[in-house]
Every structure is written in C-alpha cells, then in structure tokens.
Amino acid sequence: MAKSDELVKYLTERVVSYMETPREVRRQVRAQRKEGREPWQIRWFGMLPLAIRLWKDRWFSGKS
C-alpha cells in the first residue's frame, strides 16, 4: 500500500506544479525541448540514413 500512496502523492505534486506554471512558460519549455532533439531519422536509425545518402550522392554523381 505504501508504494501506491507514494505514486499518488508524486502524481498529484506533478499535476499541481504543471497547473501552477503559466501557459507561456510551458510553451517555451516545450519548444526548447523540441528544438534540442535530433531528427527522427537519426533517433530511429542512427547514422544509417546519412551513410545511404552519401553513398547515393556518390553513385549518382558518377564519381568513384
């Protein structure tokens, strides 16, 4: 029972702190977080898309 009480307490603290912050601050934080992320191709596949793009560019440009 203690763990469920702690979980409820934690969730209520998070909800209250979220509700108390102004909307503009929340939007700024969300925008900064989104700005700091790398593109989805890199997050999902690592350096593979870059390697394929470089290989394709060399292949179609006719250089060896």
Side-chain angles (χ1 to χ4, degrees):
M1 283 290 210
K3 288 191 177 191
S4 63
D5 294 338
E6 292 173 9
L7 179 63
V8 170
K9 181 179 177 182
Y10 173 74
L11 288 175
T12 53
E13 287 174 358
R14 293 290 301 228
V15 168
V16 168
S17 66
Y18 177 81
M19 296 301 286
E20 288 179 348
T21 56
R23 182 176 294 176
E24 293 80 21
V25 174
R26 289 187 301 221
R27 287 182 180 169
Q28 288 174 353
V29 169
R30 192 178 313 127
Q32 287 174 352
R33 201 174 334 130
K34 187 175 182 179
E35 211 173 77
R37 292 190 339 201
E38 61 268 355
W40 67 270
Q41 296 98 343
I42 294 174
R43 274 191 288 142
W44 285 24
F45 303 111
M47 295 300 290
L48 189 61
L50 175 65
I52 291 172
R53 191 176 319 131
L54 290 173
W55 177 75
K56 181 187 69 131
D57 290 345
R58 287 188 83 195
W59 182 268
F60 288 117
S61 69
K63 296 179 184 176
S64 297

